[in-house]
Amino acid sequence: MRRLLRSFAVLVFTGSLTAACTVSTNEEPVAIGDPFGLLEPTTTTTSTSTPQAVTKQTVVYFLRSTDGSVALTPVTREVDVAADVQEVLGNLFSVRPDGAERPDEAGLTSAIPESAVLLGTSFASADSGRLIVDVRGLFGNDGIQGNDLRNALAQIVWTATEDVDVRDVSFRNNGAPVDAIVGNGQIADGPVNRNDYQSLS
């Protein structure tokens, strides 16, 4: 009897061990867990930032002489991207035409003397469209006269009015109001604009 009980116990233990080691099967596929997130879709963000421009193109006016006549001639220049009308006029004053460095400026001249200085610009009032240009070395005893002065003022006016906010221009000589000479050689009665120098275009 004791031998029979021992045999039965061994049989029960073996059966339990077999059941513990058996892998259950399913008729349908069962998803396996993903504790580490390895199966999750990944997204890659690519940075495609565009370099910010540091310069922009603007237009200034010089002079071209042909058969004794003088004509305003536009030239494209590179200026700082934040440049306002004063800085553009400063470029006109300080950077002389140079056909060797900038081929499109070959044969051009400027009536603005190298000794002339742009002292500053300001608008007469908000949204007025009237730009006040203060200079030294254009008017008076230390300046230029006649057609040379007219041509220099034409360059300034046409360059300034390339700016959409500028409608016309008044001049100052060292801060004092001064009259401009217009295209026909007459003294202007008040501010001047592009039309006053149309004969040079």
Side-chain angles (χ1 to χ4, degrees):
M1 181 68 178
R2 184 174 296 171
R3 183 180 299 170
L4 182 60
L5 288 174
R6 186 179 297 124
S7 299
F8 179 74
V10 170
L11 182 62
V12 170
F13 176 75
T14 304
S16 299
L17 188 61
T18 302
C21 295
T22 302
V23 177
S24 62
T25 60
N26 296 302
E27 295 181 2
E28 298 295 330
V30 177
I32 299 174
D34 184 21
F36 301 106
L38 299 176
L39 299 180
E40 294 180 4
T42 59
T43 58
T44 302
T45 302
T46 303
S47 176
T48 56
S49 59
T50 303
Q52 295 295 316
V54 296
T55 62
K56 66 179 180 181
Q57 291 189 330
T58 192
V59 174
V60 299
Y61 284 83
F62 291 112
L63 303 168
R64 186 181 299 280
S65 298
T66 306
D67 297 329
S69 64
V70 176
L72 288 162
T73 304
V75 168
T76 301
R77 288 274 179 87
E78 292 283 336
V79 295
D80 185 85
V81 68
D84 59 11
V85 64
Q86 179 168 316
E87 291 170 279
V88 173
L89 286 175
N91 184 285
L92 174 69
F93 270 69
S94 61
V95 184
R96 313 302 292 182
D98 187 342
E101 183 177 341
R102 295 175 293 275
D104 60 332
E105 298 180 15
L108 298 182
T109 61
S110 178
I112 301 171
E114 292 188 40
S115 57
V117 178
L118 175 68
L119 298 177
T121 66
S122 62
F123 283 95
S125 62
D127 302 323
S128 69
R130 178 160 300 157
L131 185 72
I132 299 172
V133 178
D134 193 8
V135 298
R136 182 174 64 238
L138 282 184
F139 299 93
N141 295 332
D142 62 342
I144 52 180
Q145 306 292 326
N147 288 342
D148 289 337
L149 178 58
R150 177 203 63 189
N151 295 344
L153 299 184
Q155 287 180 245
I156 296 169
V157 171
W158 274 60
T159 298
T161 52
E162 282 289 324
D163 189 303
V164 296
D165 294 326
V166 180
R167 184 186 70 247
D168 53 38
V169 177
S170 290
F171 287 95
R172 300 286 185 271
N173 180 39
N174 285 313
V178 64
D179 294 326
I181 298 177
V182 293
N184 58 9
Q186 301 298 311
I187 302 299
D189 182 18
V192 291
N193 57 39
R194 295 172 80 94
N195 291 334
D196 290 308
Y197 301 97
Q198 194 68 42
S199 61
L200 298 177
S201 63

